[in-house]
Every structure is written in C-alpha cells, then in structure tokens.
Amino acid sequence: MPYSARILIYSLLAICQCAGCRASRVEEGYALTLVVSGDTAGWIVPCGCTSNQSGGLSRRGGYLQDLRGKGTVLYVDAGGAASGTSEYDRLKFEAILRGEAAMGIEAHNIGAAEARLGADFLRETASKLGVPLLTCNVRDSSGALVGERLRVIGAAGRKIALVGVLSDREPLPDLQIDSPRNAVLAALEESAADYDSLVVLAYLPQDELIDLAANLPEADLVIGGPTGQSVSPRRKGPTLVASATNKGKFLAVLTAPAANAIEWQGEIVEMTEQFKDDTRQQANLDEFYATLAERDLTPSQTSFALSLPLEIPENFRIAGTASCRDCHKADCETWDHSGHAHAWDSLTKTGAQVDAFCQQCHATGSELLTWAPRLCLLRFVFLGVV
C-alpha cells in the first residue's frame, strides 16, 4: 500500500486495538503466502555431488504444490535464472521458464543473466512461453523497457503490486539501466495502480539490496539476489528485505499479515530432499533432455568448450583407458572396481548423458569433442573420469 497510508495505519493501531479496527481490507481469516525464487543460475536439477543435494525445479514444484494445498500462494522469481548466453544456455533458460510456468509463476524479474541474453530474445521467449518478464529499469538501445513495468495481482482479497529492478552497476552493452529506486518511484507514479502491498523484486548485490530497502519505505517487501548467501527476512524501517539465492537451493517464503496486523513476516527455506518431486517438473526435464538429444550441440555451442593451445597436431586425440593399462595395470584394476568408474552410468539412469553440463564431471574430454554428445559413452582417460 502507499507509504502515507501505511504510516496512518501504524498510527491508528497504536491508538486503537478494538475488534472493529482493521489494518487492511482483507477479510477475517484470509492469508497469503508469497514464494520467491532467485539466482537459479541454470541449475534445473539439484546442485552438487553429495548425497544431500539441494535445489532443482522438481522439488520447488513439489514444495509449491504442497503449500497450495494449505492456502493461497503467489510465486515469483527475482531473476538470475540463466547460466550463460550460448545456444545450450538459451535452451536451458527456456526449460527453466517452462518449469516456472507450470508452477504458476506470476512474474519473473529480469536479472543480469537474463539481460545478457538480449532484449529481442527475452521478448520473444516471454511471448512464446507465456511467462511475464518484469522490469521497470532495464531498457533496450531505443529506450523501451524490456519487460512489464508493473504488475498487480489479486489474491486472497488483496492486491499485490510487483515491480522488478536490476543493479545499474551491471556492465551490459546495448542496454540502459536506470536507477533502481528512481525507476520504482516512477513506475508507481505513472501507473497510479491501486494496491495493498508493494513487492520489489531486486536483482542487486547485498549492499545495494539493503540500501534500496532502507531508502524505499513505499515498499512492503524488497526481495532479491544475488547476495552470495541467502539473506533471512529483516526489517529496514517499515520494509522487509530478504534474498533467495545460490543456484536455486533456497526460497524466500513470506506470509501476508492477518486481518488485524500490517507486518509481513517470512523465512528462508532450503529445497532439500525432504520435499517431494513434482511430476510436471520431471516431464519438463525429460523434454529438455529430449531437445538436447535431438539438437546434438557441439562444444562450441555451449559455455563449456575449452580454449586449446595453438598449433594442436592434426592427430590430437583423447587417450582412452586402454592406453594406460600396459604400464598401470594395478591402478586400472583398482579404478575398475571403484564407483567413479561408473560415473557415466549414473547419467544414463536419468537421461542426463545428453546434457553437456553434466558431462563435464562424468567424462574426460567431453568439452573437446566435435561429434554428438550422445557418443560420449567412450571411456576416457581413467585418471580424469570422476
């Protein structure tokens, strides 16, 4: 709600706590949960190689599905979903947006990773997938905003205004980045939208995120990333600030005030294996893998291709395991009986053997190949396969 109205409500609550006094237009018993993801950075599946991996769209979808069984939920993203600008990264970004669409996302803020993909690609992708991309301060070379300026969502008897900003310190050729604070204020002034709460999705480093919250009392919530680690909800004046970041492993979960209160509250929730997988997200992942298998991207079409030294011999090849056995028989036998010798098999169980990102850690030399990723079933240098 507007800042002046919020100050008035604080004053009234201090004077009157009678049963008829209400801090908002929300009816008795209504509540709303806002879930914010961010900084997914291409991690469509859980992050890491340990047994307690976190993150992944499937768990995120399962968590949201469970929450919606308990009440009204709005889901948004603070930005940073892409992992690069190659053809592979663009396909993965589209897969992430499709996953978010299946989760019923209301808005996806344009972060630095998204902005690097270019204004034309973002507009085309948003239109194709039906995911509202949000920004009030990222403009193309002509000065036009790349996404929606302000979006108002009605839920649980409330009107939630959503705006998105990106740090104006980001070096982004061909794009213009306005001051985040000034852009938010201009968006509010020009839209004249009626709302109960203002949520700012802010892709800003931690110092800028905290500073924006401290200097934007008009906002009820300022939620962002990337901040290195997630920031638990805390108050800066009347504004609650938090951050969901780090490879999509954490979500900021904010609860709207009850009918007789005005303050939002929240927590950071880690997407651990305790959350069930969403079958729709698994189907989306399978579709992504099928696309990779069909496209057969070469290393040069990914962000993982190595820069080789100059004057590489024409007969340059990756040495196979067999070339090591004559001189290192005992070492090879030890390797054959280790779990690492079956690293590729662990990919084939899920269909991930076609994913160049996964291949990096499960095969040696995959980033050098010029043939289809599906042919990486070859066993490469045994000391390098993990």
Side-chain angles (χ1 to χ4, degrees):
M1 69 180 64
Y3 178 52
S4 58
R6 296 172 65 200
I7 294 300
L8 175 61
I9 290 173
Y10 272 109
S11 301
L12 290 174
L13 283 180
I15 297 172
C16 175
Q17 294 295 333
C18 64
C21 185
R22 289 291 178 262
S24 73
R25 297 175 302 193
V26 180
E27 297 178 13
E28 184 70 31
Y30 275 62
L32 172 67
T33 299
L34 176 71
V35 176
V36 186
S37 57
D39 211 19
T40 301
W43 285 90
I44 195 169
V45 295
C47 160
C49 293
T50 60
S51 59
N52 57 340
Q53 298 176 15
S54 298
L57 296 191
S58 189
R59 290 176 185 169
R60 188 187 302 176
Y63 176 75
L64 285 167
Q65 194 173 41
D66 183 61
L67 276 185
R68 288 186 170 121
K70 303 172 183 177
T72 303
V73 175
L74 291 183
Y75 168 49
V76 296
D77 190 275
S83 53
T85 59
S86 70
E87 182 66 17
Y88 168 87
D89 295 310
R90 290 168 184 264
L91 291 173
K92 179 173 275 190
F93 176 63
E94 291 183 4
I96 290 173
L97 289 189
R98 281 197 302 270
E100 291 180 348
M103 297 181 216
I105 195 166
E106 298 290 350
H108 182 114
N109 181 42
I110 295 177
E114 288 87 353
R116 292 189 184 99
L117 293 170
D120 291 342
F121 174 79
L122 291 177
R123 289 173 177 142
E124 179 184 347
T125 302
S127 175
K128 178 173 65 174
L129 301 180
V131 175
L133 293 182
L134 196 67
T135 186
C136 66
N137 78 326
V138 178
R139 302 178 183 274
D140 62 19
S141 57
S142 71
L145 286 172
V146 177
E148 287 188 48
R149 187 171 205 166
L150 182 144
R151 188 171 176 83
V152 177
I153 306 299
R158 294 179 179 276
K159 292 182 179 179
I160 308 297
L162 302 169
V163 294
V165 293
L166 170 63
S167 171
D168 56 359
R169 298 179 190 173
E170 286 286 347
L172 296 166
D174 303 323
L175 293 176
Q176 306 171 38
I177 313 297
D178 301 331
S179 159
R181 180 179 181 275
N182 292 345
V184 172
L185 294 177
L188 296 177
E189 181 178 355
E190 293 185 20
S191 72
D194 178 31
Y195 59 88
D196 299 298
S197 295
L198 172 63
V199 178
V200 180
L201 301 175
Y203 196 83
L204 308 172
Q206 187 163 340
D207 60 332
E208 294 182 51
L209 182 72
I210 300 301
D211 182 69
L212 179 64
N215 291 282
L216 195 64
E218 294 82 359
D220 294 87
L221 302 173
V222 174
I223 313 296
T227 53
Q229 296 295 327
S230 295
V231 176
S232 296
R234 63 190 66 174
R235 292 213 162 266
K236 286 294 178 180
T239 303
L240 192 69
V241 60
S243 171
T245 189
N246 196 356
K247 302 173 183 175
K249 294 190 290 185
F250 300 90
L251 301 177
V253 182
L254 298 309
T255 304
N260 59 350
I262 62 171
E263 291 191 351
W264 287 72
Q265 58 185 348
E267 61 180 341
I268 299 297
V269 178
E270 183 176 2
M271 293 293 96
T272 65
E273 57 189 5
Q274 74 181 85
F275 299 111
K276 66 180 182 180
D277 291 330
D278 182 355
T279 55
R280 293 172 302 176
Q281 296 305 316
Q282 184 58 53
N284 179 52
L285 179 62
D286 292 342
E287 181 181 348
F288 173 59
Y289 287 158
T291 299
L292 292 181
E294 179 183 354
R295 295 290 296 274
D296 282 344
L297 300 178
T298 64
S300 63
Q301 293 175 297
T302 74
S303 300
F304 319 124
L306 294 181
S307 297
L308 296 178
L310 297 176
E311 300 180 1
I312 294 295
E314 291 185 6
N315 62 348
F316 174 80
R317 296 289 186 273
I318 299 296
T321 306
S323 64
C324 305
R325 291 189 179 275
D326 290 343
C327 298
H328 301 277
K329 183 177 180 180
D331 292 327
C332 285
E333 288 180 353
T334 299
W335 170 259
D336 290 340
H337 292 88
S338 73
H340 286 269
H342 305 285
W344 190 265
D345 297 336
S346 66
L347 295 183
T348 60
K349 292 178 181 178
T350 62
Q353 76 277 6
V354 298
D355 192 333
F357 182 77
C358 300
Q359 291 169 11
Q360 295 177 99
C361 293
H362 290 255
T364 298
S366 60
E367 66 274 23
L368 303 177
L369 298 177
T370 57
W371 54 81
R374 290 198 304 273
L375 298 181
C376 293
L377 289 167
L378 297 173
R379 291 286 186 247
F380 297 116
V381 185
F382 75 93
L383 290 177
V385 182
V386 293

